[in-house]
Amino acid sequence: MECRVLSIQSHVVRGYVGNKSASFPLQVLGFEVDSINSVQFSNHTGYSHWKGQVLTADELHVLYEGIKLNNVHHYDYVLTGYTRDTSFLEMVVDIVQELKRANPNLVYVCDPVLGDHGSMVRKLLFYRFLMRIFERFMCVMDLLHAMGPDTVVITSSDLPSRLGDRFLVSLGSQRHVRPDGSRTTQRVRIEVPKVDAVFVGTGDLFAAMLLAWTHHYPNDLKTACEKTFSVMHHVIQRTISYAHELAGPGRRPSPPQLELRMVQSKADIEDPAIVTEATVIS
């Protein structure tokens, strides 16, 4: 049965971020993807120069109304990423709520795009409350479960890794409802090797892969996370190897050289060799 995703994210002409990072991998895994570009830039903003346009909330509404008028607005998933302002995000909420009324089984996958290495992207009031309690990771995941999401993944934390300081700790939690109505929760921990480079678009790829693999393994967060993190490992390793080859000995790769090697990683996206194992915790 066809599975269709509405992806509302940024777009770049050159490189891979936002919808450019999400659409191809999802399509490779058999999903139909309808994309709305929240911004359209020449390239990501890590380059020395960039140009482009920003989609307003009203323009988003016009695009969605066009889809509705043709009665082709049935979706199984909505995926969102980078959003520049609150009014746009409020329109996204309205769209998701309407789609959810049409299909109660619709799943909303939200990448809040909070930042990395202590650096924050432009924050919205919708997300700010999370930052004050991020140190208590288990409590945060329980809090988010209580707000509605059945699956929560924290991609990197400052928890000490059992494998040493060259690894990040990622955490996942998935809530299930038993046939008798009671709830059970599976939690996993993943140790992820650090890579000495700044990548852009990896979070967008991660969110898309988590959507895909939780779809294929809806009651097995361990396997879904192992597949997702292993895809990330293969894409990043292929990218950093190619970037160092372009940069030459002793030189740090530039942003253009560090663009994700997405097409070259097609086989790994489709069937990743598991190189990152998840541990089930209580």
Side-chain angles (χ1 to χ4, degrees):
M1 182 177 177
E2 179 178 286
C3 191
R4 188 170 291 271
V5 180
L6 176 62
S7 181
I8 306 175
Q9 301 194 61
S10 57
H11 171 82
V12 290
V13 176
R14 172 63 182 266
Y16 291 94
V17 300
N19 276 326
K20 285 284 289 289
S21 276
S23 296
F24 172 74
L26 285 171
Q27 290 167 332
V28 162
L29 289 171
F31 294 82
E32 292 287 349
V33 183
D34 294 349
S35 301
I36 295 178
N37 300 325
S38 57
V39 303
Q40 178 167 269
F41 290 161
S42 55
N43 43 264
H44 69 69
T45 56
Y47 282 68
S48 300
H49 308 282
W50 53 274
K51 299 287 185 180
Q53 302 84 35
V54 177
L55 193 72
T56 67
D58 288 341
E59 290 166 336
L60 171 60
H61 178 70
V62 168
L63 290 174
Y64 177 65
E65 285 298 307
I67 296 171
K68 280 177 58 180
L69 288 171
N70 289 296
N71 196 31
V72 289
H73 60 298
H74 179 91
Y75 291 99
D76 302 286
Y77 290 90
V78 175
L79 172 63
T80 63
Y82 176 61
T83 303
R84 287 182 61 89
D85 61 63
T86 303
S87 64
F88 191 93
L89 186 55
E90 288 171 341
M91 182 59 66
V92 169
V93 171
D94 290 344
I95 291 172
V96 172
Q97 289 176 339
E98 184 169 315
L99 292 174
K100 187 78 171 178
R101 287 192 294 270
N103 175 20
N105 293 320
L106 178 138
V107 175
Y108 175 32
V109 179
C110 175
D111 175 6
V113 195
L114 293 172
D116 200 7
H117 296 290
S119 176
M120 301 300 297
V121 299
R122 185 175 179 179
K123 298 186 291 294
L124 303 178
L125 289 172
F126 283 73
Y127 302 139
R128 279 180 184 161
F129 80 97
L130 293 176
M131 305 313 296
R132 295 194 292 268
I133 56 175
F134 239 39
E135 293 77 20
R136 301 178 64 187
F137 298 103
M138 296 300 174
C139 293
V140 169
M141 291 192 290
D142 285 339
L143 173 63
L144 289 171
H145 281 320
M147 296 172 66
D150 290 326
T151 303
V152 177
V153 176
I154 298 173
T155 54
S156 60
S157 74
D158 57 6
L159 291 173
S161 170
R162 292 170 291 201
L163 300 179
D165 59 7
R166 299 185 66 180
F167 287 78
L168 292 170
V169 175
S170 300
L171 300 166
S173 181
Q174 189 172 61
R175 184 178 58 181
H176 303 282
V177 179
R178 296 189 180 100
D180 63 3
S182 62
R183 296 182 182 274
T184 182
T185 302
Q186 183 188 49
R187 300 192 194 275
V188 298
R189 174 183 175 125
I190 308 100
E191 315 282 333
V192 183
K194 296 178 182 178
V195 178
D196 185 20
V198 177
F199 299 97
V200 179
T202 47
D204 308 311
L205 173 61
F206 182 92
M209 292 298 88
L210 188 65
L211 183 161
W213 292 115
T214 53
H215 174 81
H216 290 302
Y217 298 91
N219 298 310
D220 186 356
L221 183 63
K222 181 180 186 295
T223 298
C225 282
E226 288 175 343
K227 294 273 191 179
T228 298
F229 280 93
S230 293
V231 168
M232 299 305 301
H233 172 87
H234 295 305
V235 173
I236 288 172
Q237 289 301 317
R238 182 171 286 104
T239 299
I240 195 66
S241 296
Y242 182 71
H244 282 309
E245 181 182 324
L246 291 179
R251 295 176 179 269
R252 289 191 70 84
S254 65
Q257 293 167 340
L258 285 167
E259 291 285 5
L260 298 179
R261 302 291 284 170
M262 198 75 75
V263 174
Q264 296 78 7
S265 301
K266 177 177 177 291
D268 291 315
I269 293 168
E270 289 179 298
D271 186 20
I274 302 302
V275 294
T276 305
E277 295 189 0
T279 302
V280 176
I281 56 180
S282 58

